[in-house]
Amino acid sequence: MKDLRLFLMAGIFAAASSLNFDADPSAHPSPRVPMAHDGLDATLWLQVSAERDAICKQLWMLAQTRLEESLHDPSWSGALEQGPFALLLPPAVIVDIDETVLDNSPYQARLILDGENYAPKS
């Protein structure tokens, strides 16, 4: 998956480098890089930002610390609605998938390159 991180960035640079601003614009097909797409900046930041990597590492390390602390305290529960019944249940970690444990930025990059927006069917 690491190779896919620069998928969008490489496409943008490749398309931009093929532009010849002195030539007749009708002589060349336009590049497949919709620079005005609403998700472009966010997707680029998500895929290439060192800050994003640092934030993710810091949050996962904090989650690991909190998990270890909670496992040492059998009365602790992150689900307050469980009340005293939490003591009867085995430990569990519940996470949202999108952008938590699954990087779906290659999908978003493909949508941008295709000039599309998110659709539930896709």
Side-chain angles (χ1 to χ4, degrees):
M1 289 296 271
K2 277 277 193 194
D3 294 336
L4 294 176
R5 293 190 62 186
L6 298 177
F7 172 74
L8 178 61
M9 193 70 124
I12 289 172
F13 287 130
S17 66
S18 68
L19 295 177
N20 183 351
F21 293 104
D22 296 327
D24 176 14
S26 63
H28 300 285
S30 61
R32 290 183 43 214
V33 182
M35 295 303 216
H37 195 284
D38 287 340
L40 179 62
D41 289 341
T43 303
L44 283 174
W45 183 84
L46 188 69
Q47 289 190 339
V48 300
S49 170
E51 292 86 357
R52 184 228 179 224
D53 286 346
I55 290 167
C56 287
K57 287 176 186 173
Q58 181 181 19
L59 287 173
W60 280 105
M61 288 172 46
L62 178 60
Q64 181 179 359
T65 299
R66 294 295 182 255
L67 176 62
E68 290 168 1
E69 290 172 356
S70 66
L71 289 174
H72 291 339
D73 181 1
S75 66
W76 186 91
S77 175
L80 300 177
E81 69 274 8
Q82 291 177 337
F85 298 107
L87 293 172
L88 304 174
L89 300 172
V93 175
I94 301 169
V95 296
D96 174 69
I97 290 181
D98 278 351
E99 300 305 340
T100 303
V101 294
L102 173 69
D103 178 6
N104 61 5
S105 67
Y107 163 76
Q108 182 64 28
R110 172 55 52 203
L111 290 177
I112 292 169
L113 289 173
D114 291 344
E116 301 289 333
N117 289 310
Y118 170 78
K121 193 172 185 177
S122 70

